[in-house]
Amino acid sequence: MAEAYDDSSVVEKLYEYGERLSEAKDKSLHVGDYAAIIKAASEGTVKVKQLAAQLIPKFFKYFPTLSEDAFGQQMFLCEDEELGVRVQAIRGLLLFCKDTPENLSKIVDILGQLLHQAGENVERDAVHKALMSLLRQDIKTSLTVLFKYVIGNPDEPSAEEGIREKVLFFIRDKVFPLKAELLKPQEQMERHITDLIKQSLQDVTGEEFKMFMDFLRSLSLFGRNAPVERVQELVEIIEGQADLDTQFNVSDGDHIDRLISCLHMALPFFVMGASSSRFVNYLNKHILPVFDKLPEERKVDLLKNLAECSSYVPPQDSRQLLPSIVQLLKKHMVRRKLEEMNFTFIECLLYIFHHLAHKTPNATNSLCGYKIVTGQPSDRLGEDFSENHKDFTERLRTIDDLAKAMVKKLTQGMTEQNKAMSAAKTDEEKNIIKKQKLNSTIGLRTCNNILAMIQPLHSKSPSFIGDQKINLSWKEAVKPSVPSTAPVAGNKRAAAGANGSGNYAVKKGRGAGGVQNQLVNRALEGLYHGGRTSSRGRGRGGGRGRGSGFR
């Protein structure tokens, strides 16, 4: 009973101090009352501490001589054993910078640390709400402080690791979705957060990098009407993540994964006019010469991405890349029908060949023995490349025959699959047949594409497919548009597709087109299941290095 009486007495006293301070015109004359509130907070019960946690920040600005004691006591209350005390103390933190904005960065810093400590939902919500209030009060300062945890402190990596993760989650879940409301003035603040993100990319997982790039793409600064130099800025960020300045080591699986994933991520920006030169030149110099040494599952991922990129390779780079592509084509276009071949490889390589050759047709004179006149010395028309032409066309005829035979085989197989589907009784049987039919459908697309691309190459003066009439087999089929009889208000023209199919919305990224890219699917699956360790650093071998999460 005595303890209850003491608690009630102290609470009553605190109310008395609070009322007196509220009514006083010159509050500085009541410094004793404020000092008593601070003292009570350090000695009182739960009710006393909760009330003190409200009063300390409320009158903080009037007593600068006690500011250190007051602030320190509020921090102790934020870490109190009782949840109710902690929540009340966290809510009170906002008042420390309401009229004294110079304290805002310190409060944001503290709240960032409290994100890591907050265990209960109500406590976490209190921290979130406090941070959101401060973001609305001063978005630039608040973001700068929060991103210090994302960028990290190399001197204390392990101490900040847990805080960094919680701050990242907060930025992802609370800040990014409200960018239109928070980032004002828009252009200035979009530029500021872009700069902060750039500083954060030295040490990120694949998941984090994708998250940041998706966010940057969503900003007006880099929107559909952005100038090419801004789009190029995003490509340069991706190039940095791909480590295009390093010597390639074919045994470095992390770098291979990261390189192909970054090329995949850069494709929408090539569509928007950014240069693919650095990626193309790196692939030509370092990757294609050791193509056979790449992991088998990575070869097709690389060729698929390069195929989609080929439409946007400039003429000079096309001339440099074409010999490597022709060499790969000859290697994989078998001369004897008994040899095994990979039809997807052939589809990709023929597609790349057509698009590169369309931009630099006379380069095929020496490579394939074609007779194409452009009037340039590089035509090399006076030289005899007939053996090259004979070899190339023989390979084309062999592939043509093999593709036709495969079309016949797949068509017959689909007929049998349709019969099997009618006879199937269990869902398991039906699912197996559905997968078989899907594989057959994609196989038919692949072979038909090969046949369509071989046909114009038989002549000594062939035509090269430089438009995007060929819909790559792993992309969804084009749905024909229904012509409108009258204009509809508010409709906008769809963005041009990566392969002319119209199924590649710039805003949604390349995946919106139904790309069946095994690497990216694997990478993203791995990303969303972690990929971080307690060690840090940019090394490819471990930690939160840039290779982490791209597998």
Side-chain angles (χ1 to χ4, degrees):
M1 292 296 291
E3 185 179 347
Y5 175 82
D6 291 341
D7 179 82
S8 176
S9 175
V10 176
V11 168
E12 189 175 331
K13 270 291 186 186
L14 287 178
Y15 276 119
E16 183 182 324
Y17 298 146
E19 288 176 8
R20 193 153 54 227
L21 286 169
S22 294
E23 293 170 359
K25 291 184 178 180
D26 187 355
K27 295 178 175 37
S28 62
L29 297 176
H30 299 273
V31 65
D33 291 345
Y34 191 62
I37 293 172
I38 296 172
K39 184 179 179 182
S42 64
E43 301 173 351
T45 60
V46 172
K47 290 182 180 179
V48 171
K49 289 178 180 179
Q50 284 183 299
L51 183 53
Q54 297 179 56
L55 296 174
I56 289 173
K58 182 176 181 180
F59 301 108
F60 172 78
K61 66 179 179 179
Y62 300 109
F63 303 98
T65 59
L66 294 175
S67 61
E68 188 173 337
D69 290 341
F71 194 77
Q73 189 56 57
Q74 193 77 6
M75 292 306 97
F76 281 123
L77 295 174
C78 286
E79 297 181 335
D80 194 84
E81 293 180 356
E82 290 292 332
L83 175 63
V85 175
R86 296 199 304 272
V87 171
Q88 189 60 61
I90 290 167
R91 290 170 178 168
L93 287 175
L94 292 175
L95 295 176
F96 283 96
C97 48
K98 182 179 181 182
D99 298 304
T100 49
E102 61 271 18
N103 292 327
L104 186 137
S105 60
K106 183 190 294 185
I107 301 301
V108 174
D109 187 32
I110 290 166
L111 287 167
Q113 297 177 52
L114 290 174
L115 275 174
H116 178 50
Q117 298 177 22
E120 303 290 337
N121 287 339
V122 65
E123 184 178 4
R124 191 162 53 248
D125 289 345
V127 176
H128 287 175
K129 288 178 181 177
L131 277 171
M132 292 305 297
S133 295
L134 296 182
L135 283 162
R136 291 184 172 94
Q137 182 177 331
D138 186 340
I139 181 65
K140 187 172 185 179
T141 300
S142 299
L143 280 178
T144 302
V145 173
L146 286 177
F147 265 91
K148 285 182 180 178
Y149 285 110
V150 181
I151 296 167
N153 180 359
D155 297 326
E156 296 183 88
S158 58
E160 294 185 356
E161 187 67 20
I163 302 174
R164 178 187 180 278
E165 189 172 78
K166 291 297 176 64
V167 169
L168 257 180
F169 289 161
F170 174 78
I171 291 172
R172 179 195 67 190
D173 298 336
K174 302 296 182 180
V175 178
F176 285 176
L178 295 178
K179 64 181 185 294
E181 174 192 342
L182 295 174
L183 299 182
K184 293 180 179 179
Q186 186 182 58
E187 185 170 347
Q188 177 186 333
M189 285 312 306
E190 285 191 353
R191 172 49 61 190
H192 181 63
I193 198 170
T194 298
D195 293 339
L196 291 172
I197 287 173
K198 282 183 175 182
Q199 295 172 47
S200 306
L201 296 178
Q202 294 301 311
D203 187 14
V204 291
T205 65
E207 177 189 8
E208 291 165 2
F209 184 66
K210 182 180 184 301
M211 174 191 73
F212 281 135
M213 290 307 301
D214 286 346
F215 174 71
L216 291 177
R217 287 183 63 190
S218 73
L219 297 178
S220 299
L221 198 66
F222 304 106
R224 192 168 295 185
N225 297 320
V228 173
E229 56 267 24
R230 285 192 187 162
V231 182
Q232 187 64 38
E233 183 180 349
L234 296 183
V235 170
E236 288 170 4
I237 292 173
I238 299 172
E239 289 170 350
Q241 196 70 15
D243 269 346
L244 298 185
D245 292 322
T246 63
Q247 182 67 33
F248 180 70
N249 180 355
V250 73
S251 64
D252 188 347
D254 280 342
H255 192 192
I256 296 170
D257 292 345
R258 187 168 62 254
L259 179 68
I260 298 174
S261 293
C262 286
L263 177 60
H264 175 87
M265 197 177 293
L267 279 168
F269 308 122
F270 299 154
V271 177
M272 297 170 71
S275 171
S276 62
S277 290
R278 287 201 65 204
F279 267 109
V280 169
N281 292 332
Y282 191 88
L283 291 172
N284 191 34
K285 182 179 179 180
H286 297 283
I287 312 300
L288 295 183
V290 294
F291 181 81
D292 290 341
K293 296 180 181 179
L294 294 177
E296 202 61 35
E297 66 273 17
R298 298 294 179 264
K299 291 178 182 178
V300 69
D301 291 321
L302 175 65
L303 290 181
K304 283 182 176 182
N305 281 281
L306 190 53
E308 295 192 50
C309 172
S310 62
S311 301
Y312 311 102
V313 177
Q316 184 57 39
D317 293 333
S318 296
R319 185 174 292 275
Q320 298 296 322
L321 180 60
L322 193 57
S324 299
I325 296 303
V326 171
Q327 186 177 359
L328 275 179
L329 253 179
K330 288 181 177 179
K331 187 174 184 64
H332 291 280
M333 287 200 308
V334 295
R335 296 186 68 170
R336 294 188 298 114
K337 296 180 183 179
L338 297 178
E339 296 181 36
E340 292 184 3
M341 63 169 290
N342 187 311
F343 285 95
T344 303
F345 280 14
I346 299 299
E347 178 193 12
C348 292
L349 289 167
L350 280 174
Y351 189 90
I352 298 166
F353 174 78
H354 270 281
H355 282 85
L356 300 183
H358 180 77
K359 296 163 195 167
T360 176
N362 63 348
T364 64
N365 292 354
S366 60
L367 295 171
C368 310
Y370 289 132
K371 300 286 186 181
I372 296 175
V373 181
T374 65
Q376 300 296 319
S378 53
D379 289 349
R380 300 176 66 179
L381 293 177
E383 302 177 55
D384 184 10
F385 298 112
S386 56
E387 284 300 316
N388 289 3
H389 184 260
K390 180 181 178 183
D391 175 73
F392 195 70
T393 52
E394 279 181 8
R395 293 177 186 276
L396 288 173
R397 280 193 291 271
T398 300
I399 298 304
D400 192 271
D401 291 341
L402 287 172
K404 287 176 180 175
M406 182 57 71
V407 167
K408 183 177 179 181
K409 181 179 178 181
L410 289 170
T411 303
Q412 290 173 345
M414 291 187 77
T415 301
E416 294 171 3
Q417 289 157 7
N418 288 334
K419 292 178 181 178
M421 180 63 79
S422 300
K425 296 179 180 179
T426 67
D427 289 341
E428 184 178 356
E429 289 175 330
K430 291 178 181 178
N431 287 334
I432 292 172
I433 297 169
K434 284 179 182 178
K435 289 179 182 178
Q436 292 172 345
K437 289 183 68 176
L438 177 61
N439 290 335
S440 297
T441 301
I442 295 174
L444 280 172
R445 289 183 197 164
T446 300
C447 292
N448 284 327
N449 281 346
I450 290 171
L451 293 171
M453 289 186 283
I454 285 177
Q455 193 276 329
L457 297 179
H458 287 303
S459 167
K460 282 194 173 183
S461 298
S463 59
F464 301 116
I465 301 171
D467 52 33
Q468 292 159 351
K469 292 178 180 176
I470 300 295
N471 189 54
L472 291 163
S473 62
W474 59 90
K475 312 229 2 139
E476 287 181 356
V478 186
K479 293 182 179 179
S481 58
V482 179
S484 173
T485 55
V488 181
N491 279 5
K492 293 184 179 181
R493 188 169 56 137
N499 63 354
S501 65
N503 59 0
Y504 180 50
V506 172
K507 287 289 184 184
K508 291 184 179 179
R510 182 163 157 264
V515 180
Q516 297 180 7
N517 190 307
Q518 295 177 4
L519 169 68
V520 175
N521 289 340
R522 278 195 305 274
L524 297 185
E525 181 181 359
L527 297 177
Y528 290 106
H529 290 284
R532 299 173 63 90
T533 69
S534 59
S535 59
R536 287 168 64 91
R538 294 176 60 203
R540 294 187 184 86
R544 200 175 66 236
R546 293 182 299 179
S548 180
F550 281 95
R551 283 179 288 182

